[in-house]
């Protein structure tokens, strides 16, 4: 486009060299030249911005985020009834708990599968994680001929604790009588653990929230050693 500017500059020089040209003609051509020059300059600036945007878009599109840094719910760990690892790394789950990320647990029994948010989480000595779900109204499947229904259990609240070592326990409460009506036994079941990662993960160190130097640690440890 700049060859047009050179042509206009030569034309303006020709007009100014001839003294017999009327001043108004020179002024009029000067205004036309100025307007065309501004238009060409703005067009060139726009082209620069468009090119820069295209390059930026290509660079962003070509950069793939690592799988570990993608946000959203991810299955990070799974243990069997014996506490053996069947998927993932327990350390990732422990780090997620310490960083305050939301956790879900999943388990199954008697032809059904359940997934629930962990309402209370415990890490024991850097090794095991225990999750307690929020108390819910009990429910049970009911099969009638060709129909399947899920119905509430009357007068029943239910909650559960699951651990990465395979341990599990639950109990039911009659909310009319405010008394335990079932559960409370020790069980061992497989559990799947999910973590909700943020869209932008920061490099924050997941430090332990406890210390062996606590004044209650030695007292608690000695008491448990005597029991064993």
């Amino acid at each position: 486009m700049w060859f047009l500017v050179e042509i206009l500059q030569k034309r303006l020089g020709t007009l100014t060299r001839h003294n017999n040209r009327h001043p108004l003609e020179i002024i009029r051509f000067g205004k036309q030249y100025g307007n065309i020059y501004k238009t060409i300059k703005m067009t060139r600036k726009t082209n620069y911005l468009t090119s820069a945007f295209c390059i930026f878009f290509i660079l962003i599109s070509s950069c793939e985020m690592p799988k570990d840094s993608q946000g959203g719910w991810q299955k990070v760990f799974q243990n069997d009834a014996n506490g053996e690892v069947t998927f993932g790394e327990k350390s990732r789950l422990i780090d997620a708990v310490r960083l305050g990320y939301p956790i879900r647990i999943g388990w199954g029994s008697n032809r059904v599968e359940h997934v629930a948010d962990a309402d209370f989480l415990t890490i024991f000595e850097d090794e095991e994680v225990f999750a307690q779900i929020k108390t819910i109204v009990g429910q049970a499947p009911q099969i009638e001929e060709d129909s399947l229904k899920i119905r509430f259990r009357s007068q029943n609240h239910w909650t559960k604790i699951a651990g990465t070592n395979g341990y599990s326990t639950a109990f039911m409460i009659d909310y009319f009588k405010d008394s335990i009506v079932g559960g409370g036994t020790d069980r061992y079941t497989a559990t799947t653990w999910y973590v909700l990662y943020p869209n932008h993960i920061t490099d924050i160190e997941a430090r332990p929230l406890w210390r062996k130097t606590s004044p209650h640690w030695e007292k608690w440890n000695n008491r448990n050693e005597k029991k064993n």
Side-chain angles (χ1 to χ4, degrees):
M1 269 185 281
W2 285 98
F3 72 93
L4 295 176
V5 177
E6 294 178 359
I7 294 174
L8 293 172
Q9 288 175 339
K10 290 180 180 179
R11 175 61 176 161
L12 182 60
T14 302
L15 288 174
T16 53
R17 283 195 301 270
H18 291 79
N19 296 328
N20 58 346
R21 294 290 183 180
H22 196 279
L24 291 178
E25 184 178 355
I26 297 175
I27 294 172
R28 184 166 55 252
F29 183 82
K31 289 182 178 180
Q32 292 176 353
Y33 165 76
N35 292 334
I36 295 173
Y37 178 79
K38 289 180 181 179
T39 302
I40 294 173
K41 189 175 181 181
M42 290 177 64
T43 303
R44 188 179 186 187
K45 184 177 181 181
T46 303
N47 290 338
Y48 280 149
L49 293 174
T50 303
S51 301
F53 176 79
C54 291
I55 294 172
F56 176 77
F57 180 78
I58 292 171
L59 290 174
I60 292 297
S61 301
S62 61
C63 294
E64 183 179 354
M65 293 179 63
K67 291 184 178 180
D68 290 343
S69 65
Q70 291 179 351
W73 285 102
Q74 295 184 31
K75 175 182 174 180
V76 298
F77 183 72
Q78 187 174 24
N79 60 270
D80 63 14
N82 298 317
E84 299 295 329
V85 178
T86 57
F87 177 85
E89 299 177 3
K90 191 184 299 182
S91 59
R92 286 191 64 194
L93 174 62
I94 293 175
D95 287 347
V97 174
R98 286 175 174 162
L99 291 173
Y101 297 156
I103 309 293
R104 283 178 180 168
I105 60 173
W107 70 99
S109 64
N110 298 330
R111 297 184 294 176
V112 296
E113 301 171 54
H114 305 293
V115 177
D117 292 337
D119 201 47
F120 189 87
L121 291 154
T122 300
I123 302 173
F124 185 79
E125 290 190 356
D126 283 332
E127 295 181 1
E128 306 294 348
V129 179
F130 294 88
Q132 180 180 164
I133 69 169
K134 194 172 185 177
T135 302
I136 64 168
V137 177
Q139 64 180 41
Q142 184 174 354
I143 301 174
E144 297 177 351
E145 297 180 353
D146 294 333
S147 66
L148 172 63
K149 302 176 182 178
I150 296 286
R151 288 185 172 176
F152 290 112
R153 295 180 182 270
S154 60
Q155 306 177 16
N156 177 263
H157 279 170
W158 182 84
T159 188
K160 170 188 175 72
I161 294 175
T164 51
N165 63 348
Y167 177 77
S168 175
T169 188
F171 64 80
M172 293 178 287
I173 301 173
D174 185 328
Y175 52 82
F176 284 157
K177 298 179 181 179
D178 195 22
S179 60
I180 297 176
V181 294
T185 57
D186 294 335
R187 299 178 181 274
Y188 291 88
T189 59
T191 304
T192 302
W193 303 77
Y194 308 89
V195 175
L196 177 60
Y197 287 100
N199 292 328
H200 303 286
I201 298 178
T202 56
D203 295 329
I204 300 176
E205 183 181 357
R207 296 183 178 181
L209 306 176
W210 70 292
R211 295 177 297 115
K212 281 189 176 182
T213 56
S214 169
H216 301 289
W217 163 251
E218 291 295 336
K219 181 179 178 181
W220 180 89
N221 195 40
N222 292 334
R223 183 172 65 250
N224 281 273
E225 285 182 351
K226 290 180 181 179
K227 289 181 180 180
N228 297 329

